[in-house]
Amino acid sequence: MDRHYMDSQIKGVSTGTTILAVTFNGGVIIGSDSRASMGGSYVSSKTINKLIQVHDRIFCCISGSLADAQAVTKTAKFQISLHSIQMDSPPLVKAAASILKELCYNNKEELQAGFITAGWDKKKGPQVYTVALGGMLLNLPFAIGGSGSTYIYGYTDAKFKPDMSREECLQFATNALALAMGRDNVSGGVAHLVVITEGGVEHVVIPGDKLPKFNDE
Amino acid sequence: MALSNVLETPPSGFNFENVLRNVALEGLLEGAHNKAPKPMKTGTTIAGVVCKDGVVLGADTRATSGEVVADKMCAKIHYIAPNIYCCGAGTAADTEKTTDLLSSNLTIFSMDSGRNPRVVMAANILQDMLFRYRGQIGAHLILGGVDCTGSHLYTVGPYGDIDKVPYLAMGSGDLAALGILEDRFKTNMELEEAKELVRDAIHCGIMSDLGSGNNIDICVITKQGVDYIRPYQESEFKYKRQRRYKYNPGTTPILTEKIVPLKMEVVQETVQRMDTA
């Protein structure tokens, strides 16, 4: 078992990954790949779930150490539920993101996990928040994260438009994931996408061979 | 530390004081001819498969301590609940104790709530415990069982990450076993087919990995009950002892015999009345 840990800085299973979240007119799309790796050369799971539902209209995607991320989201899910019951109304996306941020910041020495929180609430509509490794919280129109995100900064900066339609946004997210999975060795598998709107939550799964292909493939 | 145990009951669960002591000892032994003893690892092949009517778990039976086989008939499939069993790879002591603790906790929970434990609950408890110890507990576990919601197979890593899977292999022989599983696994297999698949996967692990070997254990869990077949298949490379190691009484002649009675005197006598009122 020890041979698996040697190269990676993350001990144990890592979701070396590509995650993103994009707002559009009326909702938000959150997406990820589905690969979990150990040490950069062993794929320990081809079908890992990185889109965790923390409340009815709030999802969170995870990157970094799988164990740390799962533990944090479990705690956050409980605290968000409790907050929602105490307030007697669905939580704001900002509240959910802040709860994650508090957990990451206060335990920054021990934890190695990053999150992108996205959802819809009645006050501000669709929102995307990114919680980085050390506990920084940022509100952005779209966010990308994980090891594969470095390959798509240019693409997303060039192609993102505010107030896209649902179909345009779905195409944008799919293309971005496909490009990142094509270049990053620790991202791959299927593309998971979730469309969150006021009306509900819709899962879209695109298997690896149905992803859009680009020039070199 | 040893003395204080006599006066007060130690707190339950794990105690990591010895980790600090071991680190200090390692420093002292550095360069000396005797190194710290290595913990017994189950260099191992374990596998699990979800089939149509339940879950099939399999394991080899070799436990190694460095380059020596410490136990040829080690049981790596541990009982958690009547409907849940767990295969463990990694440090033998850690997997034993972790599964024992889990089993006790789930029994208490069953009695308190009046409900049978679910596989997902066992997996979550394991995750919480292993995450708390930050990977210090070297337990790589495959948890499988059948409950009211269906048949499930979970993997729990030493750092506390869990994944719900249809089939999996773990241990030092995992890559060899996974090859067989990836090739022949189909969803909703028949029970007999699943047993053969798991047997083949473990056999491949035994043949291709030095840390796995000896016999193959299979555990079949269905709604009707559990069939723990130990061993499912014995190794054909069994060593037969050349000579007897038992000696008949009288082999060693007695030269002299001296009997000394031990004189004991009563020092203190206390009487405590028991009140059952």
Side-chain angles (χ1 to χ4, degrees):
Chain A
M1 275 286 126
D2 294 80
R3 66 176 190 276
H4 292 159
Y5 306 156
M6 269 182 314
D7 308 318
S8 168
Q9 281 156 351
I10 289 178
K11 284 197 165 173
V13 179
S14 138
T15 59
T17 198
T18 310
I19 48 175
L20 49 73
V22 194
T23 50
F24 65 91
N25 191 358
V28 64
I29 292 186
I30 190 165
S32 80
D33 70 309
S34 69
R35 179 174 291 183
S37 52
M38 280 210 278
S41 62
Y42 177 64
V43 174
S44 60
S45 176
K46 298 175 276 195
T47 54
I48 201 101
N49 176 30
K50 300 184 201 183
L51 299 178
I52 319 268
Q53 181 162 25
V54 293
H55 207 262
D56 293 346
R57 297 278 184 281
I58 308 177
F59 272 72
C60 179
C61 43
I62 60 181
S63 69
S65 157
L66 185 59
D68 290 349
Q70 285 181 340
V72 170
T73 45
K74 269 174 89 173
T75 314
K77 206 167 162 182
F78 160 73
Q79 290 186 6
I80 292 167
S81 283
L82 184 61
H83 169 72
S84 171
I85 290 170
Q86 287 175 332
M87 302 286 274
D88 197 23
S89 86
L92 298 179
V93 188
K94 179 159 189 192
S98 294
I99 286 171
L100 279 165
K101 177 259 294 177
E102 281 295 301
L103 287 166
C104 287
Y105 182 72
N106 290 333
N107 297 299
K108 64 160 74 174
E109 267 85 49
E110 283 93 27
L111 292 173
Q112 258 191 307
F115 306 89
I116 295 182
T117 312
W120 183 95
D121 67 44
K122 218 161 118 176
K123 186 168 168 194
K124 287 209 199 148
Q127 296 144 76
V128 167
Y129 291 86
T130 172
V131 178
L133 229 56
M136 170 185 78
L137 176 65
L138 277 181
N139 179 208
L140 301 162
F142 75 92
I144 55 177
S147 57
S149 65
T150 50
Y151 305 100
I152 50 172
Y153 273 107
Y155 176 79
T156 50
D157 282 344
K159 290 290 180 179
F160 174 75
K161 293 187 310 280
D163 276 333
M164 285 188 278
S165 75
R166 183 183 175 282
E167 281 62 39
E168 278 180 315
C169 189
L170 208 51
Q171 191 60 52
F172 169 74
T174 314
N175 284 349
L177 279 175
L179 285 166
M181 281 153 67
R183 282 293 181 181
D184 184 24
N185 69 324
V186 283
S187 301
V190 306
H192 284 294
L193 293 154
V194 175
V195 185
I196 309 168
T197 54
E198 177 178 3
V201 158
E202 187 201 331
H203 291 265
V204 179
V205 174
I206 306 174
D209 53 350
K210 302 278 192 309
L211 283 172
K213 289 200 185 344
F214 299 93
N215 295 331
D216 50 4
E217 290 174 76
Chain B
M1 269 299 117
L3 280 177
S4 68
N5 279 355
V6 179
L7 302 170
E8 36 182 79
T9 32
S12 54
F14 292 103
N15 180 340
F16 280 110
E17 285 167 341
N18 285 343
V19 175
L20 298 166
R21 178 206 70 177
N22 287 351
V23 170
L25 276 177
E26 282 276 324
L28 287 174
L29 289 172
E30 204 98 295
H33 58 272
N34 51 328
K35 289 201 80 189
K38 281 189 138 160
M40 181 162 100
K41 290 190 142 241
T42 58
T44 229
T45 309
I46 49 175
V49 154
V50 175
C51 60
K52 194 167 86 174
D53 302 312
V55 173
V56 180
L57 299 171
D60 72 307
T61 60
R62 173 179 291 182
T64 52
S65 179
E67 270 74 53
V68 182
V69 174
D71 191 351
K72 289 181 279 201
M73 197 54 180
C74 167
K76 299 184 190 178
I77 307 182
H78 308 282
Y79 167 88
I80 304 285
N83 56 330
I84 307 173
Y85 276 72
C86 180
C87 306
T91 312
D94 289 345
T95 54
E96 277 280 346
K97 277 304 169 200
T98 309
T99 45
D100 266 351
L101 266 172
L102 176 66
S103 175
S104 308
N105 285 338
L106 280 180
T107 314
I108 294 174
F109 161 79
S110 284
M111 289 187 206
D112 282 340
S113 66
R115 289 169 95 160
N116 283 332
R118 296 190 187 182
V119 190
V120 65
M121 178 178 184
N124 276 321
I125 295 175
L126 276 173
Q127 176 178 46
D128 285 341
M129 187 203 299
L130 290 173
F131 181 75
R132 225 177 327 131
Y133 287 95
R134 315 287 298 145
Q136 298 290 334
I137 298 179
H140 302 69
L141 305 165
I142 295 184
L143 190 71
V146 178
D147 57 31
C148 57
T149 54
S151 341
H152 309 283
L153 192 67
Y154 284 87
T155 166
V156 187
Y159 288 90
D161 48 274
I162 69 173
D163 194 12
K164 185 170 184 321
V165 284
Y167 63 90
L168 192 69
M170 284 211 121
S172 53
D174 61 349
L175 293 179
L178 217 42
I180 302 281
L181 290 174
E182 292 272 10
D183 188 34
R184 285 163 37 192
F185 175 80
K186 293 188 290 289
T187 42
N188 282 335
M189 277 191 298
E190 291 299 330
L191 206 63
E192 285 309 312
E193 209 188 329
K195 275 161 75 173
E196 276 314 298
L197 178 60
V198 173
R199 185 223 81 89
D200 287 345
I202 304 290
H203 181 71
C204 190
I206 287 173
M207 288 293 131
S208 314
D209 175 45
L210 297 177
S212 311
N214 298 93
N215 310 326
I216 300 176
D217 287 347
I218 294 268
C219 183
V220 183
I221 311 171
T222 54
K223 231 182 170 61
Q224 283 74 44
V226 172
D227 193 11
Y228 191 165
I229 312 165
R230 181 172 149 80
Y232 182 74
Q233 181 186 294
E234 294 206 315
S235 156
E236 56 225 45
F237 304 103
K238 283 180 82 148
Y239 175 72
K240 196 161 163 39
R241 292 218 162 91
Q242 301 298 319
R243 292 196 210 294
R244 280 183 69 232
Y245 288 96
K246 285 194 169 0
Y247 296 91
N248 297 323
T251 311
T252 313
I254 299 175
L255 299 177
T256 45
E257 198 173 308
K258 182 175 174 188
I259 301 173
V260 179
L262 264 174
K263 279 208 275 282
M264 307 247 256
E265 52 181 78
V266 178
V267 174
Q268 189 187 41
E269 195 175 314
T270 40
V271 177
Q272 185 165 57
R273 283 181 50 171
M274 194 156 64
D275 274 323
T276 51

